[in-house]
Amino acid sequence: MAVRGAKPKPHLQAVREGTYREDRQSPGVRFSPSDPVEPEWELHLPGEHDDGVLVREQAAAAWARIVPMLVISAGLTDTQRDTALEYCITWARLVQAERHLSTEGLVVGTERGNVKNPWTTIAHQYRAHFRSLVGELGLSPAAATRLVPPEGGDDDDGVFD
């Protein structure tokens, strides 16, 4: 069941700001600081047809683009990689749905006449899931303001220097 009110601040942010209260906040679980290992895409996205290959390529490209940045900016660890994996698969499936919509059109002809292309429903569902993952990982401009850099993130050797 969801809890009302604002999302709680991460433990380290509350400590840095001096607002940490032991009776109201918990340090939460600490994960080992190991970098996420890229998954075997063939295990998660099997299939030898051209569409399956394109989906795997899109997922691998999303992993290469997003995960290194999340390791540096948010302290993503291998223990937490499933959320990043889900993001990459969702992105790849959304690209696949949009590719089908572009080639087949929004309306397709069937034996019962013209109907909405089923890929529109698929794209809508993946887009909704994608938005939730973007918020979870802090990948939108608004969600990025809620991210707290991991400990030791104040050095000059940052990714944006």
Side-chain angles (χ1 to χ4, degrees), residues 152-161:
D154 298 336
D155 62 329
D156 290 333
D157 294 335
V159 68
F160 300 112
D161 290 338

Side-chain angles (χ1 to χ4, degrees), residues 17 34 37 41 44 57-58 62 65 70 74-76 97 102 108 111 119 125 127 140-141 149-150 158:
E17 293 174 353
S34 59
V37 178
W41 294 112
H44 296 282
E57 288 174 357
Q58 285 291 328
R65 186 178 66 246
L70 287 173
L76 184 72
S102 295
V108 293
E111 60 274 357
W119 281 101
Q125 290 170 340
R127 191 167 277 114
S140 72

Side-chain angles (χ1 to χ4, degrees), residues 39-111:
E40 301 256 348
W41 294 112
E42 292 80 16
L43 296 175
H44 296 282
L45 301 165
E48 294 303 319
H49 52 84
D50 291 340
D51 213 26
V53 172
L54 289 172
V55 169
R56 283 193 297 276
E57 288 174 357
Q58 285 291 328
W63 182 277
R65 186 178 66 246
I66 297 299
V67 171
M69 183 269 307
L70 287 173
V71 168
I72 293 169
S73 65
L76 184 72
T77 66
D78 192 54
T79 310
Q80 302 163 322
R81 84 179 189 141
D82 290 338
T83 306
L85 173 67
E86 186 68 22
Y87 171 88
C88 295
I89 291 173
T90 301
W91 170 253
R93 291 294 186 195
L94 184 55
V95 170
Q96 178 187 26
E98 291 297 334
R99 189 170 44 252
H100 278 277
L101 286 172
S102 295
T103 58
E104 299 169 9
L106 296 175
V107 176
V108 293
T110 66
E111 60 274 357

Side-chain angles (χ1 to χ4, degrees), residues 9 11-12 19 22 38 49 53 70-71 73 81 84 87 100 105 108 118 121 124 133 137 147 151-152 155-156:
K9 289 182 184 177
H11 170 70
L12 292 177
T19 59
E22 193 171 318
E38 184 170 2
H49 52 84
V53 172
L70 287 173
V71 168
S73 65
R81 84 179 189 141
Y87 171 88
H100 278 277
V108 293
T121 303
H124 176 73
L133 290 169
L137 293 170
L147 277 183
E151 287 184 27
D155 62 329
D156 290 333

